[in-house]
Amino acid sequence: MAAGHHSLRDRQISSIEKILNLNHVSSAGSDAHHDPTAANGLIPQSTPILDSEGDPIWKVLVFDNLGRDVISSVLRVNDLRGWGVTIHLNINSPRHPIPDVPVIYLLEPTPNNLQLITSDLSRNLYSPAYINFLSSIPRPLLEDFAAQTATAGTSESIAQVFDQYLNFIVGEPDLFSLGMGRETYWAMNTAQLKDEELDALIDRVVSGLFSVVVTMGAIPIIRCPRGGAAEMISAKLDRKLRDHILNSKDNLFSTSNQRTSSSHSTPTSRPVLVILDRNVDLIPMLSHSWTYQSLVHDVLKMHLNRITVEIPIDESNPTKGMVKRSYDLNSNDFFWTKNAGVPFPQVAEDIDVELTRYKDDANDITKKTGASSLEDLQNDTSSSAQHLKAAITLLPELRERKATLDMHMNIATALLKGIKDRQLDNFFQIEENITKQSKAQVLDLLKDEGKGKEPLDKLRLFIIWFLSTEQDVSRAEMERFEEALRTAGADTTALVYVKRLVHPPTPQPSPIITHPHISVREITRMTMMTSAPTQPPPTSTSTELFRGFSSISNRLTDRLKDGALGANFENLISGVKNFLPENKDLTVTKITESLMDPASASSSAIAKTENYLYFDPRSANARGTMPAPSQGRNNTGGGGFGSGLGSLGPGTGASFGQRRQGFSEAIVFTVGGGSMDEYGNLQDWAKRTSGGGAAGGAATGPRRRVVYGSTEIVNAEEFVMGELARLGRES
């Protein structure tokens, strides 16, 4: 493993730990406190700053909802305690005085939060106060806060005020969201939102992206399609970065603050920031996936890295029923780190491999000490001192490994049950070849009562087919499809929006539009780039693929056999299709490839992105004019698909060489919702095409890294029933 590679999560953790250390840089460095390679789950040995008497400075942490989400996605309670935080509270909850104890505030700079801070300090709840804003506080608000502080006489209680640029949530090493809720796609596509509200929404996206760029430490080249929210955000972000560079002598990207590469003392190359409207490809928001993290997100409704599963109350007595248990999938989870992006059948095999390794390690220790089991070691005094010392040293790590594997066995069991109940393997297999499905086949599937227990799965598959197929669907045929869906129990409100004609509100049509009305289906078909498998899928027999599941049930899960699943565990496994997915690049991945590695990209992908707007905040030429707020709507005719060839405009003054420039690092951001499928697909592409990064080591190019983000990471149910259905009701 290349030393020194710092993911976005590593950088955010380092920034948060600095805040928890009262903005002092720890002498030991943050890597010593939160090393993702030390995946044994033990509490990191933190070194908080000490007071004049050499004692740790204990503190109170107060956050708002976004501050809570930012911290909880990357740190645990034990991590906070390691930095001297004894209690953490929400600023909106009732709080009691803890006099003479420092307080760290981590929150958004809003008028309400500023009033609450002033109220806390005037009531002497805490002192002194270290105030950290998640984003840059606007000058008018800062002046208001200064006036409040002067009026209340609380200036003596304020020790620090910092802008921290952390208003984004990191879920995976290179996955982030802006925490903007599950209505962003609706807001970007509805006609009911006022221009001022839309402008405020776009400003929030710009602020979040600015913070991500600051955290990564390098000013990017910005590329985006013409029209819609993507162009508006790109132009505003370009101006914000440009103004920051020009107006700050020691800016956040100056030489003293700029990041350096792990192996050299010179700054690393600049990344490309690709900003896309969600309508560029809706299918990943709807599709059924077969990778571990996507299934967990879809079936178990993962949110902020937390999931809830049902496990037996008493594993030996299934009649006692089930109980819900919550799990956190964090960076200390070695199994999740290794298998999150892996197809589910391979995850089952790896559980078996890890359990076997754990059992062998445990047996090795007990043989050396003469104990019959790990539990007997604590009571065994006859073992040699040397062996006993070695065993005690390894015991915490072994127990942590066992707890992690038990957790993933419970998760795998819950996923298996969800897969079989909903027949997700069948839906995934059909979607792998969705364009080959005829109208009659799709209609028969919708009418088949045996195809899963969840009507939403049928609705998702139909929308995917409708958006993908080249076949024309008549009004009468559509009515038959909708009737079949309603009979199956599905709410077809979302279809109203998918079918709806989008009317461009401006009299001047985009140069790429040849029809006065463009439907969502046509937008998707214009921008979606289908990809043949990049390599043939691994061929495995049923026995090989599910050897892991069989081993779990036969050798190491007596508790499952005797528990609520009982002897049906084998039947649960046998009903699931045994296959691995084809390695296909999604549309967003093809776009990213054409911008990062144009020499290797397909001609069709290059043609789609040839006229993407080009912004360079460091250049005096590659800049654009600010579009009107109304152009931020994605139904303006060009939103999300204005990437075809047309007349050049402001922001596109790039030479042919600049448009063919390659990048080793990219930030890909979708406006209106992100998909776990897209994140996984981008990571697979980056590994496959990086020098020495592919599984076979065949790639010889530079090491590539792709950070993926969105306004919010949402699952298919939230997207269809929440946003598409809401737009459908307005149509």
Side-chain angles (χ1 to χ4, degrees), residues 186-227:
W186 166 83
M188 293 293 180
N189 290 275
T190 183
Q192 297 187 0
L193 209 65
K194 297 178 181 177
D195 282 355
E196 312 86 74
E197 296 173 314
L198 183 62
D199 210 26
L201 199 67
I202 287 175
D203 284 343
R204 186 174 173 188
V205 175
V206 171
S207 173
L209 285 175
F210 183 84
S211 294
V212 171
V213 170
V214 168
T215 301
M216 294 188 67
I219 297 177
I221 304 294
I222 305 172
R223 304 296 304 273
C224 72
R226 184 187 303 279

Side-chain angles (χ1 to χ4, degrees), residues 131-446:
I131 302 171
N132 299 273
F133 295 119
L134 289 166
S135 59
S136 179
I137 181 171
R139 187 169 184 83
L141 267 185
L142 185 59
E143 291 175 352
D144 288 346
F145 183 49
Q148 291 178 29
T149 302
T151 302
T154 57
S155 59
E156 294 295 326
S157 299
I158 299 176
Q160 295 175 351
V161 179
F162 275 92
D163 292 335
Q164 295 291 354
Y165 303 102
L166 289 173
N167 54 328
F168 59 95
I169 300 165
V170 180
E172 293 291 322
D174 286 313
L175 170 71
F176 72 92
S177 77
L178 301 186
M180 295 179 62
R182 301 179 179 91
E183 295 183 344
T184 316
Y185 182 81
W186 166 83
M188 293 293 180
N189 290 275
T190 183
Q192 297 187 0
L193 209 65
K194 297 178 181 177
D195 282 355
E196 312 86 74
E197 296 173 314
L198 183 62
D199 210 26
L201 199 67
I202 287 175
D203 284 343
R204 186 174 173 188
V205 175
V206 171
S207 173
L209 285 175
F210 183 84
S211 294
V212 171
V213 170
V214 168
T215 301
M216 294 188 67
I219 297 177
I221 304 294
I222 305 172
R223 304 296 304 273
C224 72
R226 184 187 303 279
E231 180 181 355
M232 169 73 80
I233 292 166
S234 299
K236 284 198 167 190
L237 180 60
D238 171 68
R239 178 163 295 183
K240 187 178 180 72
L241 287 166
R242 193 181 298 274
D243 290 346
H244 176 76
I245 297 169
L246 293 175
N247 298 332
S248 305
K249 292 181 180 179
D250 185 20
N251 64 68
L252 296 164
F253 304 98
S254 62
T255 304
S256 60
N257 293 325
Q258 197 172 34
R259 65 176 179 171
T260 57
S261 63
S262 57
S263 56
H264 303 85
S265 59
T266 57
T268 57
S269 59
R270 295 172 64 187
V272 59
L273 169 58
V274 185
I275 302 178
L276 302 168
D277 291 310
R278 183 64 270 169
N279 282 338
V280 77
D281 187 13
L282 287 181
I283 288 174
M285 304 298 294
L286 310 166
S287 60
H288 297 86
S289 182
W290 203 231
T291 62
Y292 193 27
Q293 64 185 1
S294 293
L295 280 169
V296 167
H297 199 246
D298 186 7
V299 178
L300 302 181
K301 312 297 187 234
M302 182 171 68
H303 180 62
L304 296 176
N305 290 11
R306 169 161 286 218
I307 58 173
T308 301
V309 299
E310 288 190 345
I311 63 172
I313 295 175
D314 185 346
E315 294 164 357
S316 61
N317 186 358
T319 59
K320 292 186 177 180
M322 309 287 282
V323 64
K324 290 185 177 181
R325 177 170 294 178
S326 294
Y327 296 120
D328 289 313
L329 299 171
N330 54 49
S331 60
N332 288 325
D333 186 335
F334 74 94
F335 191 86
W336 179 254
T337 301
K338 179 182 178 183
N339 290 284
V342 171
F344 189 50
Q346 293 180 1
V347 173
E349 290 197 17
D350 203 49
I351 290 178
D352 175 50
V353 170
E354 291 294 339
L355 283 169
T356 301
R357 187 167 71 90
Y358 162 79
K359 188 175 182 181
D360 290 343
D361 290 348
N363 288 338
D364 186 54
I365 290 177
T366 55
K367 285 178 183 178
K368 288 181 179 179
T369 58
S372 59
S373 67
L374 291 180
E375 287 72 19
D376 292 338
L377 278 175
Q378 291 180 336
N379 302 321
D380 187 358
T381 57
S382 61
S383 302
S384 67
Q386 182 179 0
H387 286 160
L388 189 59
K389 180 180 179 181
I392 292 175
T393 302
L394 291 172
L395 272 177
E397 190 268 344
L398 281 174
R399 285 175 176 163
E400 190 70 26
R401 274 169 56 193
K402 182 62 164 61
T404 298
L405 293 174
D406 284 346
M407 175 182 75
H408 284 282
M409 287 170 62
N410 288 333
I411 293 172
T413 303
L415 287 179
L416 274 171
K417 189 174 186 305
I419 289 169
K420 188 166 186 182
D421 287 348
R422 294 168 55 183
Q423 295 193 21
L424 298 181
D425 49 338
N426 286 321
F427 283 105
F428 172 75
Q429 194 171 33
I430 293 170
E431 289 169 14
E432 283 277 274
N433 300 286
I434 193 68
T435 56
K436 298 180 181 179
Q437 304 298 315
S438 67
K439 298 175 187 177
Q441 288 175 314
V442 173
L443 187 61
D444 288 344
L445 185 145
L446 299 182

